[in-house]
């Protein structure tokens, strides 16, 4: 079985037509969803690039693989996986697979994709590396103009400085964009793999639609800002929320940007999504032309979402909202029925799925659960809740989250905890952690989170001391469970 893995970066699930957006043109991803399985509850294990990608590589939760932060904003964590860490490409290579990775790596500093056996240009970093020799050679060979931008959009930070760049016009034709370049290189790999006849795993990791949104006029102006319905959570007041969220809003300069510019930013983000969809279409079309479709399973997902103004925020950060934790998840296996699934699944589950489809033993992907039975229309026993974690980005900030069909609990040891009723408050505006009527829910979720963390070996449960609901955890407030275990 061949495997094609298509991945975007910082991609909101609500920008795809197949996930309900009536305005954004995503015909190629919609076609993939219509012929495969679309997961409606697909989540990242952590809403930050490097740790999420390391979870995909290893099939392990971040607390276990320990690659907890992007190296650009590292706060003292490891910067590469341990030498003895299991990774799925090593298992596929033993099965005789060709391995290709085109696009964003962002998986460490001293080891790159080639260190794990992948072919393809070495493209590190968090944004399009437009000065990379292979990209410059691509432009020169085709007589295409170099990267140049204008009309920069950014706000003002509290100290009066310019904020981070959010968007700009790119003065290049579509064929010169980094996205077109990546799709071209992916197609070249497909052609080579098809000629060789060996099974292959080919990943194409786009750097977008991560900000800054840098697009040619055609895409920068593709969508009328008047079509944009602002996220309801723009009404965020941060009342009863961890103070870090308001501070992040200031950092991302939301309140210094006129609301019409916010609409334009979202419209430009939509244009970015359409540009990437068209490049994915080029890859899928070439796969069809090469006669590979009936022998190739296809994945589409992202490492995490993006705020684009939701909760008066941009980018991502220490706020475990659906905007950045719920992501796109589409899997098509030849012969499996088209469908929509509602189970809670994770990016980490892709690892065991890849291994099973390649005929490898998935047991080393210890925090991963194969999606193959779900994609084939079966109904196996499946957990009714989802866990996620965060460790910090600009500074250490540990968080854990559990959500079930209706409620979400976020534990913030250094701040206030959060509890959201996602049926009554789908935009997570009201923190109901202290509401008396939800005390039974709070206790139940706290108990369940504590038990699951202990079972997994996530030492975060040490933080969940009697300061968090003694009655919820049912342990002796004079001697924590950790002390009982370690003192014998």
């Amino acid at each position: 079985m061949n495997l094609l893995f298509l991945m975007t970066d910082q991609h909101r699930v609500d920008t795809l037509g197949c996930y309900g957006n009536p305005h954004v043109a995503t015909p190629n991803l919609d076609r993939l969803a219509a012929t495969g399985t679309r997961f409606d509850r697909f989540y990242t294990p952590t809403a930050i690039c490097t740790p999420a990608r390391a979870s995909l590589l290893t099939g392990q939760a971040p607390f276990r693989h320990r690659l907890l932060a992007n190296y650009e904003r590292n706060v003292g964590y490891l910067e590469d996986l341990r030498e003895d860490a299991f990774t799925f490409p090593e298992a596929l290579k033993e099965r005789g697979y060709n391995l290709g990775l085109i696009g964003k790596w962002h998986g460490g500093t001293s080891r790159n994709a080639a260190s794990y056996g992948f072919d393809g240009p070495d493209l590190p970093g968090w944004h399009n590396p437009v000065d990379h020799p292979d990209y410059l050679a691509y432009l020169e060979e085709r007589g295409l103009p170099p990267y140049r931008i204008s009309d920069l959009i950014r706000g003002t930070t509290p100290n009066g400085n310019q904020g981070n760049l959010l968007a700009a016009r790119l003065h290049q034709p579509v064929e010169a964009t980094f996205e077109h370049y990546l799709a071209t290189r992916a197609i070249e790999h497909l052609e080579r793999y098809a000629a060789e006849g060996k099974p292959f795993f080919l990943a194409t990791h786009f750097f977008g639609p991560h900000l800054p949104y840098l697009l040619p006029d055609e895409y920068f102006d593709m969508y009328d800002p008047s079509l944009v319905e602002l996220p309801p959570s723009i009404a965020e007041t941060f009342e009863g929320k961890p103070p870090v969220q308001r501070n992040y809003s200031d950092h991302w300069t939301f309140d210094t940007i006129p609301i019409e510019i916010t609409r334009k930013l979202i419209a430009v983000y939509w244009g970015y999504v359409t540009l990437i969809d068209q490049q994915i279409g080029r890859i899928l079309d070439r796969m069809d032309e090469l006669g590979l479709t009936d022998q190739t399973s296809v994945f589409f997902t992202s490492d995490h979402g993006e705020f684009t103004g939701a909760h008066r925020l941009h980018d991502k950060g220490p706020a475990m909202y659906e905007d950045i934790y719920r992501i796109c998840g589409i899997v098509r296996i030849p012969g499996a029925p088209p469908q929509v699934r509602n189970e809670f699944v994770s990016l980490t589950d892709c690892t065991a799925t890849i291994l099973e489809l390649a005929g490898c033993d998935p047991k080393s992907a210890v925090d991963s659960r194969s999606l193959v039975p779900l994609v084939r229309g079966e109904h196996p026993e499946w957990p009714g809740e989802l866990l996620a974690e965060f460790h910090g980005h600009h500074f250490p900030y540990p968080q854990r989250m559990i959500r079930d069909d209706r409620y979400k609990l976020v534990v913030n040891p250094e701040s206030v905890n959060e509890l959201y009723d996602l049926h009554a408050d789908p935009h997570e505006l009201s923190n109901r952690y202290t509401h008396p009527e939800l005390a039974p829910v709070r206790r139940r979720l706290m108990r369940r989170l504590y038990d699951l963390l202990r079972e997994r070996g996530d030492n975060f449960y040490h933080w969940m001391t009697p300061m968090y609901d003694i009655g919820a955890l049912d342990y002796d407030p004079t001697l924590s469970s950790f002390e009982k275990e370690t003192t014998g």
Side-chain angles (χ1 to χ4, degrees), residues 89-99 196-201 358 360:
E90 68 186 64
L92 267 61
K93 197 156 193 175
E94 290 177 0
R95 298 281 296 183
Y97 270 71
N98 272 323
L99 300 173
E196 292 181 7
K198 292 170 60 178
F200 65 81
F201 173 91
C360 304

Side-chain angles (χ1 to χ4, degrees), residues 186-208:
I187 288 168
E188 291 169 354
H189 271 64
L190 270 182
E191 292 169 344
R192 177 160 63 86
Y193 292 161
E196 292 181 7
K198 292 170 60 178
F200 65 81
F201 173 91
L202 177 61
T204 306
H205 292 184
F206 292 92
F207 288 75

Side-chain angles (χ1 to χ4, degrees), residues 97-131:
Y97 270 71
N98 272 323
L99 300 173
L101 192 151
I102 309 298
K104 179 171 181 173
W105 168 241
H106 217 191
T109 54
S110 64
R111 283 188 283 167
N112 59 12
S115 304
Y116 296 92
F118 291 110
D119 299 323
D122 180 22
L123 300 170
W126 63 271
H127 63 101
N128 286 337
V130 294
D131 57 351

Side-chain angles (χ1 to χ4, degrees), residues 75 100 112 119 136 154 162 178 195 233 244 258 267 286 291 309 322 327 345 356 383 440 447:
V75 290
N112 59 12
D119 299 323
L136 295 177
R154 53 171 103 226
Q162 286 188 330
F178 211 83
S233 60
V244 69
R286 188 61 181 139
E322 296 288 286
I327 56 177
V345 298
E356 180 173 346
R447 174 78 255 181

Side-chain angles (χ1 to χ4, degrees), residues 365-411:
V366 296
D367 297 308
S368 181
R369 188 180 293 108
S370 174
L371 301 173
V372 170
L374 300 183
V375 175
R376 289 184 172 155
E378 300 169 16
H379 295 276
E381 185 176 344
W382 205 265
E385 68 276 309
L386 176 107
L387 298 185
E389 59 189 272
F390 187 72
H391 299 265
H393 182 33
H394 300 91
F395 46 84
Y397 195 85
Q399 296 178 291
R400 296 295 185 274
M401 178 258 278
I402 183 171
R403 72 145 296 182
D404 61 17
D405 181 64
R406 178 166 182 173
Y407 297 101
K408 175 190 289 186
L409 171 71
V410 181
V411 176

Side-chain angles (χ1 to χ4, degrees), residues 2 7 57 87 93 97 136 149 166 180 217 220 235 239 270-271 289 324 328 343 348 401 414-415 421 430 439 443 470:
N2 302 317
M7 192 174 195
L57 193 63
T87 62
K93 197 156 193 175
Y97 270 71
L136 295 177
I149 60 173
L166 300 175
H180 197 280
D217 289 346
F220 195 88
E239 181 180 356
W270 288 0
E289 294 164 0
I324 60 172
C328 315
E343 289 88 353
T348 314
M401 178 258 278
E414 299 181 28
S415 190
D421 180 343
S430 176
R443 287 194 293 268
I470 294 172

Side-chain angles (χ1 to χ4, degrees), residues 307-336:
F307 280 118
T308 60
H311 294 277
R312 290 166 50 196
L313 294 163
H314 292 285
D315 200 53
K316 67 274 185 187
M320 304 186 86
Y321 293 122
E322 296 288 286
D323 306 271
I324 60 172
Y325 276 84
R326 181 176 171 238
I327 56 177
C328 315
I330 302 170
V331 182
R332 187 177 72 191
I333 297 175

